[in-house]
Amino acid sequence: MAGYTFTPLTPTAFLERSAVVHGHRTAIVDGDRRFTYREFGERCRRLAGALTATGVRPGDRVAALCLNSHVMLEAHHGVPWAGASLVSLNPRLSSDEHAYIVRHSGARTIIATAELLDRARDVALACDAELVVAGGPEDDYEDRLAAAGQTVVPVADEAALVAVNYTSGTTGTPKGVMYHHRGAYLQSLAMAYHLGLAADSVYLWTLPMFHCNGWCFTWAVTAAGATHVCQRSFDPAGTWGLVREHGVTHLCAAPTVLTMLAAGHPGDRREGLRVRVATGGAPPSPSLLERLDALAMDVTHLYGLTETFGPIAINEWLPEWNREAPSERARLLSRQGVGNIVADRLRVVDDAGADVPRDGETVGEIAVRGNDVMLGYLGEAPPADDWWRTGDLAVMHGDGYVEIRDRLKDVIISGGENIASVEVERVLESHPAVLECAVVGRPDSTWGEVPVAYVTIRPGQAATEAELVRYVRARTAHFKAPKTVLFGQLPKTSTGKIQKGLLRENLRRSASAGLATSDDPPGD
Amino acid sequence: MAGYTFTPLTPTAFLERSAVVHGHRTAIVDGDRRFTYREFGERCRRLAGALTATGVRPGDRVAALCLNSHVMLEAHHGVPWAGASLVSLNPRLSSDEHAYIVRHSGARTIIATAELLDRARDVALACDAELVVAGGPEDDYEDRLAAAGQTVVPVADEAALVAVNYTSGTTGTPKGVMYHHRGAYLQSLAMAYHLGLAADSVYLWTLPMFHCNGWCFTWAVTAAGATHVCQRSFDPAGTWGLVREHGVTHLCAAPTVLTMLAAGHPGDRREGLRVRVATGGAPPSPSLLERLDALAMDVTHLYGLTETFGPIAINEWLPEWNREAPSERARLLSRQGVGNIVADRLRVVDDAGADVPRDGETVGEIAVRGNDVMLGYLGEAPPADDWWRTGDLAVMHGDGYVEIRDRLKDVIISGGENIASVEVERVLESHPAVLECAVVGRPDSTWGEVPVAYVTIRPGQAATEAELVRYVRARTAHFKAPKTVLFGQLPKTSTGKIQKGLLRENLRRSASAGLATSDDPPGD
């Protein structure tokens, strides 16, 4: 065996293959622009050449501040082909945050789409970085590509960085999660396999590509030789329009985005058109799952974190579950599931690191390990434990499926009792007037914390605070019912996650100003 | 990154996963026996324990002389879980050949199914190996499993051996092709992906499991959590019976087996029942492909060798090809295709190692490299060249698809002209009376070689030698038409390959006895 060398695993290999096999087929639709796989491959090789010409060297980082676009897909292949790793910036962060990430990652080049030019210019100036602009009157991306030679720097080590993805960090400074070629390759294969991506699939980019490299679908869709349809910014009407125009077969989105999508459905329905939808990032409620089913959307529930290349787990759907009643199907589907086909087994562990019993009752923390787990955080010591703790609290069911009870930080501790905010949210969301909601803890001098619900009411519907509190008390332990219900829109991250941290902070500020305490007992 | 350890890739990981996720679902049907995935997993861990108890140690080899059965599937997981690698014996080889392989591999233990007990006993005696018998009156397999503890020796190095597969070697001594865990893992993922294996798939074992580990479907079907249905020995009526009884969705078979299967179809057809069939090992003729299409069999054409974990290439079917006429579809499908999703690009090279032009005309040799190529032959020096030459002569088409013209050794050189035996066979097979055929070269004092055709006539049909020669001459260059046509059954290997070596040897023997020379010019 001495001297035997394997081909290093890298997710960009899929484009090398598809540029030949699917050469004349449509790789990307982005507004009026269309690219075949042959063109996609050539443009990425030219991008690698152009980056090399600007001084990018193997081992460097290159930042991208881009909407969902051909540019961002090209960056996912062209940057690694220059030997560099990709740092995707979330456009909704502030210029200061962008500058922090660019500086922290050491990126000296920023690729931006024209819509984000002002922001990108500020950051480039603050960091003294080279700016490459794609689209708009100041475009120099196309000229650079046209002038460049075609470059592919071979991957020498599959453990090398392919991307650094900064956690959204609603509190604290963002951390740079290090993705390796091997993990991105395997995770892409798993996504293509589990979602059934094939040459005739049409994938709609509702999920931001900057978010965990679009859960690795930037590479997985390419591996399948399917068509990427880019939606530069999400709005439900636009999504439904693209679904019809292009015969979309697959999309990914957080549950909050799916809630908006379901609410914004044009009403008529083209018969026979089914869309396979992967969702994750938060547990989808059974009521949302039932609504999507009615809209001919076949939901696959995934679970993961930035630290796990996106979806490390899948609610693997067993054929016999199709015979269950709709409510039971929704319950089964709302579980986070099992490690995906390339992942190690998920564990749920107690504080001492021992597995909790498989009883569907005992709450522990999800711990992960394996090929689709990050190398660690850039600039920090590598994780001490083999098993990385996710911060997600969950139970292990008898069939080996994991179900999240709550984020560790989202648990409300009231009078010494734990309240899983997700559980209360599930009950509220089953109320016909509730579009979506978030339950968080408000500091309370007597009980430590008490639950408060933020609720968005469905258009054309109505509900009072008293009615909703009664509704929850009738369906769960009384101490879990919200003490206060506040109505309005929920603040969200750019990836569609409800910003519970922000809600908690508001409550904390009000509480410390003495505006809100509760004399009600948390239970009765 | 120092100290970071990945989880080693191994195909047995799929059973660890399926034993949980698909625990209560049917893993194996073998005659009257049924095993769930939980049972399958436990039995394999017990097999590993039992092997350890007999003295098998990590790094050892264990031989299996088994028909397609639960025993052979268990060996594919239990042997690696004992830290050993599996040496699958082809039951049709002679006892001497078996003994050679067992000795050469260093195996000290042989697992046999009861049908092959006599043969296994001879070999065990000759090699002083421990014999484990599964089934029949002398079964000790079940007792050993029941008595054993559950063992899983972790894989320390994914480049380590998982199996040694001996080439069928119709001429010369068999060579031990070394399979590594990494390649078997990736190849299994590729098979599951390309064939669309899923939890509701039912896979019928017509292809022998001893042949390239059943093209890695022993692991791929397990990865999907699908059901393995074992057919211990192939006969067309039995196959059709199992297809109906179990609702088979997938099977693999060499073209000759499919020819028998198509000929043995019971005639009636259950509506809506489609079977996805993967074929390879020889180029399927367009006429066979058309017949299978009529029998509701969706054919995927794969290409590979023992040295490439079975199918390293796939005729990846592009959606737009469905709009082509049937004959054009058959022509497109008869090509060997492109590297599969985990494979490196296939090359077609000339004698100097340079790529031939992509013109669909220039013949070169297929060369392969990558993660699904063997480590080398056991006991031999590792291959000198990075690119392993397959011995298959092919052209590269403009769209990057490879098409085999012939095996290097099957080319007939007549009067200085090359005749691809496959080309002549294609023409003969398009004749309505021809069931199957083989064209080989007969030594000839004047022309070097001349083509001779061996033909099996379809039941109820008839054709004369003169008629078939005329038929070929009307459709190809005259010098390619057979000088002689011999009628009868074709000799085949246990994997269904026509034994052209045997036919050639017969002709050579007759020729040297002065029984057959030709005065006809090879061309006119």
Side-chain angles (χ1 to χ4, degrees):
Chain A
M1 259 71 75
Y4 193 88
T5 51
F6 292 116
T7 300
L9 304 179
T10 168
T12 59
F14 300 127
L15 179 54
E16 295 206 63
R17 180 177 187 274
S18 288
V20 175
V21 180
H22 303 284
H24 65 286
R25 306 183 60 245
T26 302
I28 305 174
V29 175
D30 181 7
D32 292 336
R33 300 196 74 172
R34 299 276 183 291
F35 300 97
T36 66
Y37 267 103
R38 187 172 300 122
E39 291 166 334
F40 184 18
E42 183 181 330
R43 288 172 63 86
C44 295
R45 289 192 297 271
R46 288 185 181 279
L47 174 57
L51 291 169
T52 304
T54 71
V56 170
R57 292 291 168 266
D60 283 358
R61 253 75 82 182
V62 172
L65 181 53
C66 299
L67 299 184
N68 283 352
S69 58
H70 69 91
V71 183
M72 192 59 157
L73 289 169
E74 287 156 7
H76 272 79
H77 299 84
V79 169
W81 280 351
S85 52
L86 181 66
V87 179
S88 302
L89 300 172
N90 176 344
R92 302 231 184 146
L93 298 182
S94 68
S95 292
D96 284 353
E97 288 169 307
H98 286 151
Y100 172 83
I101 292 170
V102 169
R103 276 199 208 97
H104 186 267
S105 71
R108 311 285 309 137
T109 309
I110 303 171
I111 302 169
T113 51
E115 303 89 343
L116 304 168
L117 177 57
D118 291 347
R119 306 289 301 283
R121 196 180 278 131
D122 289 351
V123 181
L125 208 66
C127 303
D128 193 24
E130 171 116 11
L131 181 61
V132 181
V133 182
E138 295 179 53
D139 181 294
D140 62 348
Y141 183 83
E142 293 297 336
D143 284 348
R144 286 174 188 253
L145 258 55
Q150 298 191 36
T151 296
V152 175
V153 175
V155 175
D157 179 3
E158 65 191 36
L161 295 188
V162 66
V164 184
N165 289 309
Y166 282 77
T167 54
S168 49
T170 44
T171 57
T173 44
K175 288 156 166 261
V177 176
M178 296 190 291
Y179 281 25
H180 42 88
H181 285 267
R182 176 180 167 105
Y185 176 91
L186 292 170
Q187 182 77 339
S188 301
L189 275 182
M191 294 302 102
Y193 172 72
H194 285 297
L195 273 293
L197 294 172
D200 56 357
S201 300
V202 178
Y203 179 86
L204 179 61
W205 276 104
T206 41
L207 183 78
M209 294 181 191
F210 66 77
H211 184 54
C212 308
N213 303 114
W215 299 353
C216 291
F217 280 75
T218 43
W219 298 302
V221 172
T222 303
T227 300
H228 296 267
V229 176
C230 300
Q231 186 173 21
R232 291 210 171 202
S233 56
F234 174 76
D235 74 289
T239 299
W240 287 116
L242 289 169
V243 166
R244 286 168 184 224
E245 184 181 350
H246 299 291
V248 167
T249 59
H250 293 75
L251 61 84
C252 297
T256 48
V257 172
L258 293 177
T259 300
M260 287 187 271
L261 207 50
H265 190 272
D268 59 325
R269 179 137 77 85
R270 202 162 71 188
E271 280 310 316
L273 183 80
R274 296 198 74 89
V275 181
R276 187 123 180 224
V277 173
T279 192
S285 67
S287 48
L288 172 61
L289 292 174
E290 289 191 56
R291 280 206 299 282
L292 293 173
D293 189 44
L295 289 174
M297 297 177 96
D298 298 317
V299 175
T300 298
H301 181 195
L302 305 172
Y303 160 74
L305 306 101
T306 302
E307 286 82 351
T308 63
F309 295 74
I312 194 172
I314 179 168
N315 179 288
E316 185 151 336
W317 190 252
L318 303 186
E320 53 270 30
W321 291 349
N322 290 322
R323 295 192 296 268
E324 301 287 344
S327 63
E328 176 62 4
R329 286 208 308 272
R331 188 192 70 77
L332 288 165
L333 184 53
S334 69
R335 307 184 306 167
Q336 278 65 33
V338 293
N340 72 39
I341 197 167
V342 305
D344 279 28
R345 182 175 62 95
L346 260 61
R347 294 177 62 204
V348 177
V349 297
D350 62 21
D351 290 342
D355 287 275
V356 302
R358 280 196 187 190
D359 58 7
E361 295 280 341
T362 313
V363 175
E365 187 175 358
I366 299 178
V368 293
R369 185 178 74 170
N371 292 311
D372 49 358
V373 175
M374 64 170 177
L375 291 171
Y377 298 110
L378 184 69
E380 297 188 14
D385 190 358
D386 214 18
W387 288 92
W388 185 75
R389 304 290 189 103
T390 59
D392 282 323
L393 297 182
V395 297
M396 179 65 81
H397 285 280
D399 61 359
Y401 279 56
V402 165
E403 182 175 5
I404 289 188
R405 289 294 191 229
D406 218 343
R407 287 290 298 170
L408 196 48
K409 62 178 192 237
D410 292 341
V411 170
I412 301 161
I413 304 175
S414 192
E417 299 270 16
N418 281 1
I419 302 174
S421 60
V422 172
E423 184 191 349
V424 186
E425 288 160 8
R426 285 265 171 88
V427 176
L428 275 170
E429 280 164 357
S430 70
H431 188 285
V434 173
L435 180 66
E436 56 184 2
C437 68
V439 173
V440 293
R442 181 178 64 201
D444 186 280
S445 51
T446 309
W447 307 106
E449 286 185 303
V450 292
V452 171
Y454 287 83
V455 170
T456 307
I457 292 294
R458 200 176 286 283
Q461 303 273 337
T464 65
E465 176 174 23
E467 180 186 344
L468 291 179
V469 171
R470 253 197 329 271
Y471 184 83
V472 177
R473 286 171 69 102
R475 286 165 178 78
T476 183
H478 287 191
F479 74 94
K480 295 181 180 175
K483 294 292 160 288
T484 307
V485 178
L486 300 164
F487 295 94
Q489 293 300 314
L490 305 178
K492 286 176 194 164
T493 68
S494 51
T495 58
K497 281 187 201 168
I498 297 168
Q499 291 178 298
K500 286 194 173 181
L502 208 64
L503 298 174
R504 255 193 304 271
E505 208 178 317
N506 288 346
L507 289 175
R508 209 166 287 135
R509 222 174 283 134
S510 315
S512 65
L515 299 176
T517 58
S518 169
D519 296 325
D520 300 345
D524 51 323
Chain B
M1 254 70 72
Y4 192 87
T5 51
F6 292 115
T7 300
L9 304 179
T10 169
T12 59
F14 300 128
L15 179 55
E16 295 207 61
R17 180 178 187 273
S18 288
V20 175
V21 179
H22 303 284
H24 66 286
R25 305 183 60 244
T26 303
I28 304 175
V29 176
D30 181 5
D32 292 337
R33 300 195 73 171
R34 299 277 183 289
F35 301 97
T36 65
Y37 267 103
R38 187 173 300 122
E39 291 166 336
F40 184 18
E42 185 183 328
R43 288 173 62 85
C44 295
R45 288 191 298 271
R46 288 185 181 281
L47 174 56
L51 291 170
T52 304
T54 70
V56 171
R57 292 292 166 266
D60 283 357
R61 252 75 80 180
V62 172
L65 182 52
C66 299
L67 299 184
N68 283 352
S69 58
H70 69 90
V71 184
M72 192 57 157
L73 289 169
E74 286 156 7
H76 272 79
H77 299 84
V79 170
W81 279 350
S85 52
L86 181 67
V87 179
S88 303
L89 299 173
N90 177 343
R92 303 231 185 143
L93 297 183
S94 68
S95 292
D96 285 351
E97 287 169 308
H98 286 150
Y100 171 84
I101 292 171
V102 169
R103 277 200 208 95
H104 186 267
S105 71
R108 311 284 312 137
T109 309
I110 302 171
I111 302 169
T113 51
E115 303 88 341
L116 304 169
L117 177 55
D118 292 347
R119 306 289 303 281
R121 196 179 279 129
D122 290 350
V123 182
L125 207 65
C127 302
D128 192 23
E130 170 116 11
L131 182 60
V132 182
V133 181
E138 296 179 53
D139 181 296
D140 62 348
Y141 183 83
E142 293 297 337
D143 284 347
R144 286 175 190 255
L145 258 56
Q150 298 191 36
T151 297
V152 176
V153 176
V155 175
D157 179 2
E158 65 192 35
L161 293 188
V162 67
V164 184
N165 288 310
Y166 282 76
T167 53
S168 49
T170 44
T171 58
T173 43
K175 288 156 167 260
V177 176
M178 297 191 290
Y179 282 24
H180 42 87
H181 285 267
R182 177 180 167 106
Y185 176 91
L186 292 170
Q187 183 76 340
S188 301
L189 274 183
M191 294 302 103
Y193 172 72
H194 284 298
L195 273 294
L197 294 171
D200 56 359
S201 300
V202 179
Y203 180 86
L204 178 62
W205 275 104
T206 41
L207 184 77
M209 294 180 190
F210 67 76
H211 183 55
C212 308
N213 304 113
W215 298 354
C216 292
F217 280 76
T218 44
W219 299 302
V221 172
T222 304
T227 300
H228 296 267
V229 177
C230 300
Q231 187 174 19
R232 290 209 172 203
S233 56
F234 175 76
D235 74 290
T239 300
W240 288 115
L242 289 169
V243 165
R244 283 164 189 229
E245 184 181 350
H246 299 290
V248 167
T249 59
H250 292 76
L251 63 83
C252 298
T256 48
V257 173
L258 293 177
T259 299
M260 288 187 271
L261 206 51
H265 190 272
D268 60 324
R269 178 138 77 86
R270 202 163 71 187
E271 281 308 316
L273 183 80
R274 297 197 74 87
V275 181
R276 188 126 179 220
V277 173
T279 193
S285 68
S287 48
L288 172 62
L289 293 173
E290 287 190 54
R291 282 207 297 282
L292 293 172
D293 189 45
L295 289 173
M297 299 179 94
D298 299 317
V299 175
T300 298
H301 181 196
L302 305 172
Y303 160 74
L305 305 102
T306 302
E307 287 83 351
T308 62
F309 295 74
I312 194 172
I314 179 169
N315 180 289
E316 185 153 336
W317 191 251
L318 304 186
E320 53 271 29
W321 290 349
N322 289 322
R323 295 191 299 268
E324 300 288 343
S327 63
E328 175 64 5
R329 286 209 308 271
R331 189 192 69 78
L332 288 165
L333 185 53
S334 69
R335 307 185 304 168
Q336 279 63 35
V338 293
N340 73 38
I341 197 168
V342 306
D344 279 29
R345 182 174 62 95
L346 260 61
R347 293 176 63 203
V348 177
V349 297
D350 62 21
D351 289 342
D355 288 274
V356 302
R358 282 196 185 188
D359 58 7
E361 296 280 343
T362 311
V363 174
E365 187 176 357
I366 299 178
V368 293
R369 186 178 72 172
N371 292 310
D372 49 0
V373 174
M374 64 171 176
L375 290 170
Y377 298 111
L378 184 68
E380 297 189 13
D385 191 358
D386 213 17
W387 287 91
W388 185 74
R389 303 290 188 103
T390 60
D392 282 324
L393 297 182
V395 296
M396 178 65 81
H397 286 280
D399 61 358
Y401 279 56
V402 165
E403 183 176 4
I404 288 187
R405 288 294 189 227
D406 217 344
R407 287 288 300 169
L408 196 48
K409 62 177 192 237
D410 292 342
V411 169
I412 301 161
I413 305 174
S414 191
E417 299 268 16
N418 282 1
I419 302 173
S421 59
V422 172
E423 183 190 350
V424 185
E425 289 160 7
R426 286 265 170 87
V427 175
L428 275 169
E429 281 164 356
S430 71
H431 188 282
V434 174
L435 180 66
E436 55 184 3
C437 69
V439 174
V440 293
R442 181 178 67 199
D444 185 279
S445 53
T446 310
W447 307 105
E449 287 185 305
V450 291
V452 171
Y454 287 84
V455 171
T456 307
I457 293 292
R458 199 176 287 284
Q461 304 272 337
T464 64
E465 176 176 24
E467 180 185 345
L468 290 178
V469 171
R470 251 198 329 271
Y471 185 82
V472 176
R473 285 170 70 100
R475 287 165 178 78
T476 182
H478 287 189
F479 75 93
K480 296 182 180 173
K483 295 292 161 281
T484 306
V485 179
L486 300 163
F487 296 94
Q489 292 299 315
L490 304 179
K492 287 177 193 165
T493 68
S494 51
T495 58
K497 280 186 203 170
I498 296 168
Q499 291 178 298
K500 286 194 173 182
L502 209 62
L503 297 174
R504 256 193 303 270
E505 210 178 318
N506 289 346
L507 288 176
R508 209 168 287 135
R509 224 175 281 135
S510 318
S512 63
L515 299 176
T517 56
S518 169
D519 296 325
D520 301 344
D524 53 322

